[in-house]
Amino acid sequence: MAPSLKSLVSFHLAILVLMQAQGKATAACSDCFVQSRAAYYPNSDENGTEIGACGFGSFGATINGGDVSAASELYRNGVGCGACYQVRCTNSAYCSDKGVTIVITDQGSSDRTDFILSKRAFGRMAQTTDGANSLWSLGVVDIQYRRVSCSYPNKNITIKIDENSNHPNYFGFVIWYQQGKKDITAVQLCETQNFVCKLLERSYGAVWTTTTPPSGPLQIRMLFSDDDGDETWLVPLNNIPQDWKAGQTYDTGVQIN
């Protein structure tokens, strides 16, 4: 017997509801935890390294109170630099439910890990001091992680000029205090006098460079992107002065959620 019109309509409605439910579940899973493993920097002090592949220098060892990490796949050729993740170990005998929030400042992997945490961050996944000692003795542990928003209260996005920068031959900088949950995927360097902008190259990590820096006050515009295709150009309130100095930092005057 052929199906009735009513049964066909009911069937298609059920399929539509199921697809909508699956779509909601997929969207919600941007906040889901991923199973992995983590180690910590051997023979290190409490903080991270000052020579990380993101180009942060000594800032990369102490940002976020020293709760930092190297990443393997999540480094993403430098796009992952500055991203924040909640990382928690899974052994209930030692580990807290909250875990620790870390910032990616370096690239590296060890024994099938996604993260190599600073010693401080690795220990902060534990419930107690004794638990931290137990985690350190293990060296590598099973974890869960998820991307979270970076937050630096009372800090604006800041530009650190590369120490080797010199006009008119080379201009490089690294971006500090990247906020929110999006990636910086492109950067424009603009002349503020005639409003001509040029796209810069990502030299490595979070370092952006040009061999033909323009004259005059400069404006650095950053494109923030997420996995859903949402993109936002951030225009700083403050420009880099005409007499910029290599090694100096300049406050953009803006934050992003």
Side-chain angles (χ1 to χ4, degrees):
M1 180 183 294
S4 67
L5 178 61
K6 182 177 180 180
S7 63
L8 285 173
V9 170
S10 298
F11 174 75
H12 285 295
L13 284 174
I15 292 296
L16 180 60
V17 170
L18 179 60
M19 290 175 64
Q20 290 176 334
Q22 289 176 333
K24 291 179 180 179
T26 301
C29 260
S30 62
D31 293 326
C32 290
F33 281 97
V34 178
Q35 307 293 323
S36 185
R37 287 158 56 85
Y40 70 93
Y41 283 103
N43 305 319
S44 71
D45 56 16
E46 289 289 306
N47 296 331
T49 177
E50 296 186 358
I51 54 173
C54 289
F56 290 132
S58 59
F59 174 80
T62 58
I63 185 176
N64 195 39
D67 291 336
V68 298
S69 179
S72 51
E73 296 296 328
L74 295 173
Y75 179 76
R76 292 177 291 144
N77 294 319
V79 175
C81 290
C84 294
Y85 291 87
Q86 181 186 1
V87 181
R88 63 187 189 187
C89 52
T90 59
N91 188 326
S92 59
Y94 310 125
C95 304
S96 69
D97 292 334
K98 183 179 179 181
V100 63
T101 297
I102 56 89
V103 181
I104 300 300
T105 61
D106 195 9
Q107 180 184 27
S109 62
S110 172
D111 192 15
R112 297 176 290 114
T113 62
D114 274 310
F115 299 94
I116 303 179
L117 305 177
S118 64
K119 184 177 181 181
R120 167 189 163 89
F122 199 83
R124 279 168 56 81
M125 292 190 294
Q127 302 175 37
T128 64
T129 301
D130 288 341
N133 290 328
S134 297
L135 292 182
W136 289 327
S137 67
L138 290 171
V140 180
V141 295
D142 293 327
I143 62 158
Q144 299 173 327
Y145 72 88
R146 64 180 177 182
R147 181 82 179 264
V148 294
S149 182
C150 296
S151 178
Y152 303 101
N154 303 316
K155 295 289 186 182
N156 294 325
I157 295 174
T158 300
I159 305 299
K160 166 70 184 301
I161 307 297
D162 189 329
E163 285 82 356
N164 296 315
S165 294
N166 64 89
H167 190 274
N169 301 312
Y170 172 74
F171 182 76
F173 59 89
V174 64
I175 299 171
W176 288 2
Y177 301 118
Q178 177 180 332
Q179 297 153 356
K181 201 176 176 180
K182 295 182 178 181
D183 299 318
I184 298 176
T185 53
V187 170
Q188 286 183 332
L189 182 64
C190 303
E191 299 179 46
T192 59
Q193 296 173 339
N194 56 18
F195 302 105
V196 174
C197 297
K198 63 180 295 184
L199 281 171
L200 300 188
E201 296 181 0
R202 185 190 296 272
S203 179
Y204 70 95
V207 179
W208 300 82
T209 62
T210 178
T211 55
T212 55
S215 302
L218 303 175
Q219 183 182 82
I220 294 175
R221 300 181 179 183
M222 293 156 278
L223 180 64
F224 284 79
S225 308
D226 63 18
D227 292 338
D228 297 327
D230 183 36
E231 296 183 334
T232 303
W233 278 102
L234 181 69
V235 180
L237 294 176
N238 301 328
N239 296 326
I240 294 180
Q242 180 173 353
D243 59 344
W244 55 263
K245 300 292 190 301
Q248 291 296 307
T249 58
Y250 296 96
D251 188 328
T252 65
V254 292
Q255 298 181 357
I256 190 168
N257 296 324

mmCIF file of all heavy atoms in Angstrom, residues 41 45 47-62 68 105-106 204:
data_model
loop_
_atom_site.group_PDB
_atom_site.id
_atom_site.type_symbol
_atom_site.label_atom_id
_atom_site.label_comp_id
_atom_site.label_asym_id
_atom_site.label_seq_id
_atom_site.Cartn_x
_atom_site.Cartn_y
_atom_site.Cartn_z
ATOM 1 N N TYR A 41 57.096 21.302 30.384
ATOM 2 C CA TYR A 41 58.481 21.594 30.020
ATOM 3 C C TYR A 41 59.427 20.947 31.023
ATOM 4 O O TYR A 41 59.404 21.282 32.214
ATOM 5 C CB TYR A 41 58.737 23.100 30.027
ATOM 6 C CG TYR A 41 58.203 23.860 28.845
ATOM 7 C CD1 TYR A 41 57.039 24.618 28.949
ATOM 8 C CD2 TYR A 41 58.869 23.844 27.625
ATOM 9 C CE1 TYR A 41 56.550 25.350 27.867
ATOM 10 C CE2 TYR A 41 58.400 24.572 26.538
ATOM 11 C CZ TYR A 41 57.238 25.321 26.668
ATOM 12 O OH TYR A 41 56.762 26.032 25.597
ATOM 13 N N ASP A 45 61.747 26.272 34.950
ATOM 14 C CA ASP A 45 61.237 26.860 36.180
ATOM 15 C C ASP A 45 59.712 26.854 36.108
ATOM 16 O O ASP A 45 59.118 26.192 35.267
ATOM 17 C CB ASP A 45 61.800 28.267 36.385
ATOM 18 C CG ASP A 45 61.508 29.188 35.209
ATOM 19 O OD1 ASP A 45 60.634 28.847 34.399
ATOM 20 O OD2 ASP A 45 62.151 30.249 35.099
ATOM 21 N N ASN A 47 57.582 29.082 35.093
ATOM 22 C CA ASN A 47 56.959 29.728 33.941
ATOM 23 C C ASN A 47 57.319 29.018 32.641
ATOM 24 O O ASN A 47 57.974 27.981 32.632
ATOM 25 C CB ASN A 47 57.381 31.197 33.879
ATOM 26 C CG ASN A 47 56.899 31.990 35.070
ATOM 27 O OD1 ASN A 47 55.868 31.672 35.647
ATOM 28 N ND2 ASN A 47 57.650 33.012 35.458
ATOM 29 N N GLY A 48 56.897 29.617 31.528
ATOM 30 C CA GLY A 48 57.199 29.057 30.226
ATOM 31 C C GLY A 48 58.566 29.479 29.727
ATOM 32 O O GLY A 48 59.387 30.029 30.467
ATOM 33 N N THR A 49 58.802 29.274 28.437
ATOM 34 C CA THR A 49 60.095 29.586 27.842
ATOM 35 C C THR A 49 60.119 31.003 27.277
ATOM 36 O O THR A 49 59.090 31.539 26.859
ATOM 37 C CB THR A 49 60.424 28.596 26.719
ATOM 38 O OG1 THR A 49 61.656 28.957 26.110
ATOM 39 C CG2 THR A 49 59.339 28.574 25.656
ATOM 40 N N GLU A 50 61.299 31.618 27.267
ATOM 41 C CA GLU A 50 61.470 32.956 26.704
ATOM 42 C C GLU A 50 61.852 32.911 25.228
ATOM 43 O O GLU A 50 62.046 33.958 24.608
ATOM 44 C CB GLU A 50 62.528 33.727 27.493
ATOM 45 C CG GLU A 50 62.142 33.984 28.945
ATOM 46 C CD GLU A 50 63.140 34.876 29.664
ATOM 47 O OE1 GLU A 50 64.151 35.258 29.035
ATOM 48 O OE2 GLU A 50 62.909 35.197 30.847
ATOM 49 N N ILE A 51 61.970 31.720 24.665
ATOM 50 C CA ILE A 51 62.385 31.593 23.262
ATOM 51 C C ILE A 51 61.336 30.815 22.471
ATOM 52 O O ILE A 51 61.667 30.033 21.579
ATOM 53 C CB ILE A 51 63.767 30.927 23.150
ATOM 54 C CG1 ILE A 51 63.782 29.580 23.902
ATOM 55 C CG2 ILE A 51 64.860 31.831 23.677
ATOM 56 C CD1 ILE A 51 65.063 28.793 23.682
ATOM 57 N N GLY A 52 60.084 31.018 22.787
ATOM 58 C CA GLY A 52 59.011 30.278 22.142
ATOM 59 C C GLY A 52 58.841 30.627 20.672
ATOM 60 O O GLY A 52 59.210 31.726 20.217
ATOM 61 N N ALA A 53 58.256 29.707 19.923
ATOM 62 C CA ALA A 53 58.084 29.854 18.481
ATOM 63 C C ALA A 53 57.058 30.907 18.086
ATOM 64 O O ALA A 53 56.915 31.213 16.906
ATOM 65 C CB ALA A 53 57.686 28.505 17.876
ATOM 66 N N CYS A 54 56.338 31.468 19.045
ATOM 67 C CA CYS A 54 55.387 32.537 18.730
ATOM 68 C C CYS A 54 56.060 33.903 18.638
ATOM 69 O O CYS A 54 55.456 34.858 18.135
ATOM 70 C CB CYS A 54 54.269 32.583 19.773
ATOM 71 S SG CYS A 54 53.117 31.188 19.664
ATOM 72 N N GLY A 55 57.287 34.017 19.137
ATOM 73 C CA GLY A 55 58.002 35.279 19.050
ATOM 74 C C GLY A 55 57.683 36.261 20.155
ATOM 75 O O GLY A 55 57.994 37.447 20.041
ATOM 76 N N PHE A 56 57.079 35.798 21.254
ATOM 77 C CA PHE A 56 56.715 36.692 22.353
ATOM 78 C C PHE A 56 57.905 37.085 23.224
ATOM 79 O O PHE A 56 57.826 38.039 23.990
ATOM 80 C CB PHE A 56 55.655 36.033 23.246
ATOM 81 C CG PHE A 56 54.302 35.902 22.617
ATOM 82 C CD1 PHE A 56 53.613 34.702 22.653
ATOM 83 C CD2 PHE A 56 53.703 36.975 21.987
ATOM 84 C CE1 PHE A 56 52.360 34.568 22.080
ATOM 85 C CE2 PHE A 56 52.449 36.863 21.400
ATOM 86 C CZ PHE A 56 51.776 35.654 21.450
ATOM 87 N N GLY A 57 59.003 36.334 23.166
ATOM 88 C CA GLY A 57 60.157 36.629 24.006
ATOM 89 C C GLY A 57 59.845 36.403 25.474
ATOM 90 O O GLY A 57 59.066 35.512 25.835
ATOM 91 N N SER A 58 60.442 37.226 26.341
ATOM 92 C CA SER A 58 60.245 37.065 27.785
ATOM 93 C C SER A 58 58.791 37.260 28.187
ATOM 94 O O SER A 58 58.321 36.688 29.171
ATOM 95 C CB SER A 58 61.131 38.046 28.554
ATOM 96 O OG SER A 58 60.845 39.383 28.185
ATOM 97 N N PHE A 59 58.041 38.038 27.405
ATOM 98 C CA PHE A 59 56.612 38.222 27.669
ATOM 99 C C PHE A 59 55.884 36.882 27.607
ATOM 100 O O PHE A 59 54.956 36.630 28.371
ATOM 101 C CB PHE A 59 56.041 39.194 26.640
ATOM 102 C CG PHE A 59 54.548 39.371 26.703
ATOM 103 C CD1 PHE A 59 53.978 40.195 27.654
ATOM 104 C CD2 PHE A 59 53.719 38.734 25.790
ATOM 105 C CE1 PHE A 59 52.599 40.384 27.709
ATOM 106 C CE2 PHE A 59 52.344 38.905 25.834
ATOM 107 C CZ PHE A 59 51.793 39.737 26.795
ATOM 108 N N GLY A 60 56.316 36.004 26.707
ATOM 109 C CA GLY A 60 55.673 34.710 26.545
ATOM 110 C C GLY A 60 55.893 33.761 27.707
ATOM 111 O O GLY A 60 55.188 32.755 27.828
ATOM 112 N N ALA A 61 56.858 34.057 28.564
ATOM 113 C CA ALA A 61 57.106 33.209 29.730
ATOM 114 C C ALA A 61 56.234 33.596 30.912
ATOM 115 O O ALA A 61 55.984 32.770 31.799
ATOM 116 C CB ALA A 61 58.579 33.283 30.133
ATOM 117 N N THR A 62 55.773 34.838 30.936
ATOM 118 C CA THR A 62 55.079 35.337 32.126
ATOM 119 C C THR A 62 53.634 35.759 31.882
ATOM 120 O O THR A 62 52.898 36.006 32.839
ATOM 121 C CB THR A 62 55.841 36.550 32.700
ATOM 122 O OG1 THR A 62 55.938 37.562 31.680
ATOM 123 C CG2 THR A 62 57.239 36.146 33.136
ATOM 124 N N VAL A 68 51.133 29.022 30.626
ATOM 125 C CA VAL A 68 51.314 29.038 29.177
ATOM 126 C C VAL A 68 51.625 27.621 28.693
ATOM 127 O O VAL A 68 51.835 26.713 29.495
ATOM 128 C CB VAL A 68 52.443 29.998 28.768
ATOM 129 C CG1 VAL A 68 52.102 31.430 29.165
ATOM 130 C CG2 VAL A 68 53.775 29.571 29.386
ATOM 131 N N THR A 105 52.027 29.911 23.539
ATOM 132 C CA THR A 105 53.162 30.812 23.303
ATOM 133 C C THR A 105 54.313 30.128 22.559
ATOM 134 O O THR A 105 55.329 30.761 22.295
ATOM 135 C CB THR A 105 53.706 31.358 24.633
ATOM 136 O OG1 THR A 105 54.153 30.259 25.446
ATOM 137 C CG2 THR A 105 52.639 32.138 25.392
ATOM 138 N N ASP A 106 54.155 28.843 22.231
ATOM 139 C CA ASP A 106 55.276 28.089 21.663
ATOM 140 C C ASP A 106 54.723 26.921 20.843
ATOM 141 O O ASP A 106 53.520 26.629 20.883
ATOM 142 C CB ASP A 106 56.175 27.584 22.794
ATOM 143 C CG ASP A 106 57.539 27.106 22.314
ATOM 144 O OD1 ASP A 106 57.864 27.310 21.130
ATOM 145 O OD2 ASP A 106 58.278 26.529 23.131
ATOM 146 N N TYR A 204 56.550 34.669 11.339
ATOM 147 C CA TYR A 204 56.419 33.410 12.074
ATOM 148 C C TYR A 204 55.629 33.699 13.331
ATOM 149 O O TYR A 204 55.587 34.832 13.805
ATOM 150 C CB TYR A 204 57.791 32.800 12.429
ATOM 151 C CG TYR A 204 58.558 33.587 13.482
ATOM 152 C CD1 TYR A 204 58.496 33.235 14.828
ATOM 153 C CD2 TYR A 204 59.338 34.687 13.121
ATOM 154 C CE1 TYR A 204 59.182 33.963 15.792
ATOM 155 C CE2 TYR A 204 60.030 35.411 14.072
ATOM 156 C CZ TYR A 204 59.953 35.044 15.402
ATOM 157 O OH TYR A 204 60.630 35.769 16.359
#
